[in-house]
Amino acid sequence: PRAARVASLTGLFRDEPLTLSYYRDAGLHDWVETQRQRGDIDAVVVFSSSMAQYAQGFAVPVLVDFVDVDSAKWTDYSSAHRWPMSWLYRREGRQLLAYERQVAARATQSFFVTEKEVSLFQGLAPECATLRALGNGVDAEYFSPDSARPSPFAGDETPVVFTGAMDYWPNVDAVSWFATDVLPALRSRFPSLRLHVVGRQPPDSVRALQGVAVAVTGTVPDVRPYLQHAAAVVAPLRLARGVQNKVLEAMAMGRPVVAAAPCVEALDVVPGRDLLSAHSAADYADAIGRLLDSPKLASAIGASAREQVIRHYGWDARLSALDACLDAAAGPRRAA
């Protein structure tokens, strides 16, 4: 990643998004070109705008899953940082949006993770008409409770868990804010409560949180024990876009989740039944307190959460729309 960050700065001189330079790889480009020259490809599926640079030159239908409007994410970042990073993030948002519009205009079909993201992109790129929602999913069989799975927690603690890649700035912001603004009030009521930050490559700012109230694990071989045995799972993301798979995974494990209101709004769920929604520090403290005070409520929300994931967020159901688009786009070529 460090070398890629340095390489990405060449985008400043190419008048292109730094994202493209960051993810540019000669080996991958050569491999894709080899496949293209074979001539037996019916369609191309691109996952995220940063990968669209590898899908040039194909004379077949190209379907692009943008997932989120990434350019809007960078623009949001600019308001949360001081110069010069604020300038750099604004530039990235502007440059990446121009690239996203080019990709969507050429694509046979473009997907975004929610109808809200579709509407956002339609407003930013009114010339792009072939847009539709394609929601995220989760492997509910893999992410399922197992009575034989041992707990990674000490017996005298009340674990609250956050999972996510800790080299991702919105996750760093989320746990730092939660530890500073929410955790003290919770521990005054529940002294045994401890926040477990589970995820790879935590920066020094997150490692500095380690102590009696916070455990920082770094990379773990399996997140499921941490989710299954959590008293509650939190997703206090203040800069969140689209569907958060960390929320779906915790729900699939049958755990009560307290998530940021925008994360909840992106899901087909009923707040209060399938999970709890929060906005302010007081909201989080109140919601988590309710779960810890009432194991019966926590259990009911967890059970409803898993049922909702199985019903609406299994990969078979979620990817059926992509299957249909692939059949429509590539069917005539295969028939020929």
Side-chain angles (χ1 to χ4, degrees):
R2 185 171 299 172
R5 288 193 192 101
V6 173
S8 73
L9 294 177
T10 61
L12 294 172
F13 307 101
R14 291 193 178 111
D15 194 33
E16 69 176 11
L18 305 191
T19 299
L20 297 189
S21 302
Y22 184 90
Y23 287 107
R24 185 168 288 131
D25 182 87
L28 181 56
H29 179 274
D30 291 346
W31 181 86
V32 172
E33 181 63 15
T34 298
Q35 309 313 310
R36 187 185 72 82
Q37 291 181 4
R38 287 172 52 187
D40 58 354
I41 292 175
D42 297 316
V44 176
V45 178
V46 175
F47 184 79
S48 83
S49 59
S50 58
M51 293 293 102
Q53 61 185 307
Y54 297 102
Q56 307 300 316
F58 283 93
V60 298
V62 177
L63 284 65
V64 182
D65 184 2
F66 286 85
V67 188
D68 303 322
V69 184
D70 280 339
S71 56
K73 174 188 69 178
W74 291 109
T75 301
D76 288 347
Y77 284 5
S78 68
S79 62
H81 289 78
R82 290 184 288 185
W83 192 90
M85 296 307 297
S86 59
W87 171 84
L88 191 66
Y89 289 151
R90 276 195 300 272
R91 179 195 181 277
E92 186 67 7
R94 185 173 61 254
Q95 293 276 354
L96 191 56
L97 174 59
Y99 181 72
E100 289 169 340
R101 293 174 72 167
Q102 293 173 16
V103 170
R106 294 194 299 262
T108 306
Q109 181 74 58
S110 297
F111 301 96
F112 291 88
V113 73
T114 63
E115 293 291 352
K116 185 176 180 180
E117 292 291 290
V118 170
S119 297
L120 173 61
F121 192 74
Q122 282 177 329
L124 296 170
E127 75 280 6
C128 299
T130 56
L131 311 176
R132 63 179 295 176
L134 178 68
N136 277 4
V138 65
D139 185 341
E141 183 176 345
Y142 178 81
F143 286 99
S144 61
D146 181 352
S147 59
R149 187 176 290 133
S151 172
F153 305 119
D156 59 352
E157 67 177 338
T158 303
V160 171
V161 170
F162 175 94
T163 63
M166 294 314 302
D167 54 356
Y168 182 52
W169 187 74
N171 288 344
V172 173
D173 175 75
V175 299
S176 300
W177 174 79
F178 188 87
T180 302
D181 288 28
V182 182
L183 202 55
L186 277 170
R187 280 182 54 84
S188 68
R189 290 182 57 193
F190 307 97
S192 64
L193 187 149
R194 195 179 194 200
L195 173 66
H196 289 258
V197 179
V198 182
R200 70 171 188 264
Q201 296 184 327
D204 290 342
S205 61
V206 172
R207 291 190 181 278
L209 300 172
Q210 177 83 30
V212 175
V214 180
V216 180
T217 69
T219 301
V220 297
D222 190 348
V223 299
R224 291 175 298 175
Y226 292 88
L227 293 173
Q228 177 173 326
H229 295 282
V233 177
V234 294
L237 293 151
R238 301 193 295 173
L239 290 168
R241 304 208 65 80
V243 175
Q244 297 295 318
N245 271 34
K246 59 170 61 68
V247 174
L248 293 180
E249 290 167 1
M251 291 174 63
M253 293 295 297
R255 301 317 302 144
V257 177
V258 182
C263 297
V264 176
E265 292 165 2
L267 296 172
D268 183 11
V269 295
V270 177
R273 183 195 70 184
D274 306 317
L275 79 174
L276 299 181
S277 176
H279 179 72
S280 66
D283 292 340
Y284 281 98
D286 176 68
I288 296 169
R290 287 166 54 200
L291 294 173
L292 298 184
D293 282 334
S294 175
K296 184 177 180 180
L297 172 65
S299 178
I301 289 178
S304 182
R306 176 160 175 78
E307 182 179 334
Q308 192 72 357
V309 166
I310 292 172
R311 183 183 300 120
H312 295 290
Y313 288 96
W315 278 122
D316 286 346
R318 285 283 146 177
L319 292 181
S320 60
L322 181 60
D323 291 340
C325 287
L326 278 170
D327 285 341
R333 178 181 171 84
R334 287 202 304 270

